[in-house]
């Protein structure tokens, strides 16, 4: 009797697997088509200085709305592209778009771009990244690449080599989702980073949970000692922003400062939040207003 139930379960289970495989193959095909027909987009979320609220740069985030499937999260389609072996194609398209968009921003703003773990194991990543930046005319010193602890730990030797190559080009490296990965702090000694992004899980618990507060405090202290910049991810309220600033966290990112926006909305955001940019733009558009004429 139990055997029959067992067999029944196996049948159900395998048909679920078959269904899941059909679904992900359909998703894969739709995603490949979307990349080829230029329907995968990139949005930008501001990263600000917590002390004065000034925008320092933006993180590029992949966006895909399929006509049949609707909104598909990058947390779903990025891993799918990795699994099916076309993450380089997806990532190159996204980096090119992001770098091109960034050219319209003030030059002192950085672009932060997520590198997938597969790319951190692929020796061609440095060359591919550089050729895209060159063809767009993008200064590598404006680029930050976000990588995760897990990616670094999975293929440590290759990852360390790629990180060093990228840093030699002037590209900075951010450790994303810090505190949630499977690294040991000791192993992090083998890698050189420029910035740490504290995961949203700690940030969203900070007002209610003393443990998260202590963890953030410890990360900030560690980063000060190692001369690393710190960004808190997922800040949603003014109270969280203030608390993080008081804990010594230098930069912040989250819905409180701005949600991910398309390029047009990003330019409007800069207009409203980046004084010098608004001035420049007014001049370019020939708008009237007080203006110093240096020629006479
Ligand atoms: P991530 O790199 O940690 O990106 C931050 C995620 O947190 C984004 O989700 C962002 O929209 C979300 N977020 C930012 N502020 C807040 C907030 O205040 N509250 C809440 N609830 N969420 C906030 P998103 O865009 O869905 O991306 C999810 C993940 O997908 C990213 O996590 C990243 O790992 C991956 N991803 C996104 N775009 C790319 C890409 O172009 N390439 C690669 N390789 N991965 C990407
Ligand atoms: Mg990120
Ligand atoms: Mg993150
Ligand atoms: Mg995250």
């Amino acid at each position: 009797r139990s055997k029959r139930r067992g067999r029944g379960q196996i049948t159900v289970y395998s048909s679920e697997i078959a269904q899941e495989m059909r679904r992900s193959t359909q998703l894969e095909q739709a995603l490949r088509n979307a990349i080829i027909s230029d329907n995968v987009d990139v949005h930008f979320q501001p990263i600000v200085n917590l002390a004065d609220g000034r925008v320092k740069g933006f993180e590029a985030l992949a966006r895909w709305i399929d006509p049949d499937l609707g909104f598909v999260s990058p947390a779903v389609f990025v891993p799918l592209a990795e699994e099916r072996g076309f993450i380089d194609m997806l990532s190159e398209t996204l980096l090119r778009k992001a770098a091109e968009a960034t050219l319209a921003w003030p030059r002192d703003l950085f672009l932060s771009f997520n590198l997938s773990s597969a790319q951190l194991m692929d020796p061609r990543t440095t060359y591919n990244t550089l050729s895209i930046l060159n063809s767009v005319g993008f200064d590598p010193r404006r680029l930050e690449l976000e990588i995760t602890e897990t990616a670094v730990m999975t293929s440590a030797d290759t990852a360390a080599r790629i990180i060093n190559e990228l840093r030699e080009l002037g590209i900075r490296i951010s450790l994303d989702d810090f505190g949630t990965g499977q690294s040991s702090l000791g192993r992090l000694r083998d890698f050189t980073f420029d910035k740490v992004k504290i995961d949203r899980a700690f940030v969203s618990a900070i007002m209610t949970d003393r443990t998260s507060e202590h963890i953030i405090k410890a990360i900030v202290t560690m980063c000060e000692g190692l001369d690393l910049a710190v960004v808190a991810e997922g800040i949603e309220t003014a109270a969280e922003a203030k608390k993080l600033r008081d804990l010594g966290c230098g930069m912040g990112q989250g819905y409180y400062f701005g949600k991910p926006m398309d390029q047009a909305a990003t330019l409007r955001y800069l207009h409203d939040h980046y004084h010098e940019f608004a001035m420049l733009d007014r001049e370019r558009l020939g708008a009237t207003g007080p203006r110093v004429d240096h020629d006479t």
Side-chain angles (χ1 to χ4, degrees):
R1 197 174 146 222
S2 70
K3 203 174 165 188
R4 245 175 63 195
R5 194 161 66 208
R7 264 172 50 194
Q9 277 168 350
I10 286 167
T11 308
V12 169
Y13 188 51
S14 61
S15 92
E16 270 171 9
I17 289 177
Q19 207 181 337
E20 171 56 29
M21 278 172 58
R22 270 195 301 278
R23 203 189 65 89
S24 65
T25 300
Q26 184 202 2
L27 203 61
E28 175 187 351
Q29 212 35 258
L31 179 57
R32 283 182 184 274
N33 290 339
I35 296 168
I36 292 162
S37 53
D38 198 25
N39 281 325
V40 180
D41 213 352
V42 64
H43 283 202
F44 303 95
Q45 187 179 32
I47 298 173
V48 310
N49 196 338
L50 282 179
D52 57 12
R54 289 169 79 104
V55 55
K56 305 298 287 179
F58 290 86
E59 177 175 2
L61 293 159
R63 289 293 178 266
W64 173 35
I65 299 172
D66 180 81
D68 301 320
L69 306 163
F71 176 88
V72 186
S73 167
V76 170
F77 68 77
V78 168
L80 182 75
E82 281 188 316
E83 264 167 47
R84 304 294 169 104
F86 60 104
I87 185 65
D88 43 348
M89 176 170 84
L90 173 63
S91 193
E92 281 165 27
T93 305
L94 292 168
L95 179 59
R96 180 177 302 280
K97 284 187 176 220
E100 277 168 356
T102 304
L103 293 181
W105 309 345
R107 262 189 299 235
D108 60 336
L109 297 181
F110 64 80
L111 170 71
S112 205
F113 186 83
N114 292 284
L115 211 58
S116 86
S117 46
Q119 292 177 287
L120 213 52
M121 298 171 200
D122 182 348
R124 293 169 304 176
T125 293
T126 308
Y127 176 81
N128 289 345
T129 304
L130 187 61
S131 7
I132 293 165
L133 298 186
N134 281 342
S135 74
V136 173
F138 189 93
D139 184 348
R141 288 169 302 181
R142 287 182 71 180
L143 183 66
E144 289 187 8
L145 291 174
E146 302 192 4
I147 62 181
T148 63
E149 296 161 73
T150 311
V152 167
M153 295 305 151
T154 320
S155 185
D157 290 347
T158 312
R161 200 168 57 242
I162 294 171
I163 289 170
N164 288 335
E165 288 170 357
L166 292 167
R167 291 188 81 250
E168 266 166 37
L169 297 172
I171 296 168
R172 289 181 304 268
I173 304 292
S174 279
L175 208 48
D176 202 358
D177 305 337
F178 189 74
T180 59
Q182 33 183 255
S183 68
S184 84
L185 287 176
R187 292 287 284 120
L188 292 179
R189 270 196 315 195
D190 303 338
F191 306 94
T192 324
F193 308 110
D194 302 278
K195 189 182 266 184
V196 161
K197 298 187 79 174
I198 302 175
D199 194 75
R200 181 159 63 87
F202 301 112
V203 173
S204 51
I206 198 175
M207 300 311 289
T208 50
D209 170 20
R210 295 279 294 166
T211 308
S212 294
E213 186 181 332
H214 285 299
I215 291 172
I216 290 178
K217 223 188 263 179
I219 295 175
V220 167
T221 306
M222 178 191 80
C223 288
E224 267 167 19
L226 296 172
D227 210 20
L228 298 171
V230 192
V231 181
E233 294 193 288
I235 300 178
E236 295 187 348
T237 66
E240 287 166 2
K242 182 180 182 307
K243 181 118 196 174
L244 287 155
R245 193 189 59 204
D246 293 346
L247 287 173
C249 190
M251 279 177 269
Q253 177 181 358
Y255 294 169
Y256 174 65
F257 300 108
K259 289 196 172 179
M261 303 168 271
D262 65 18
Q263 169 73 341
T266 302
L267 292 173
R268 284 196 297 276
Y269 179 94
L270 284 171
H271 225 274
D272 296 341
H273 293 88
Y274 192 98
H275 181 67
E276 293 82 353
F277 185 71
M279 297 295 283
L280 262 177
D281 220 35
R282 249 195 297 282
E283 279 188 29
R284 205 178 62 215
L285 297 171
T288 51
R291 172 175 174 192
V292 183
D293 196 340
H294 295 287
D295 288 341
T296 51

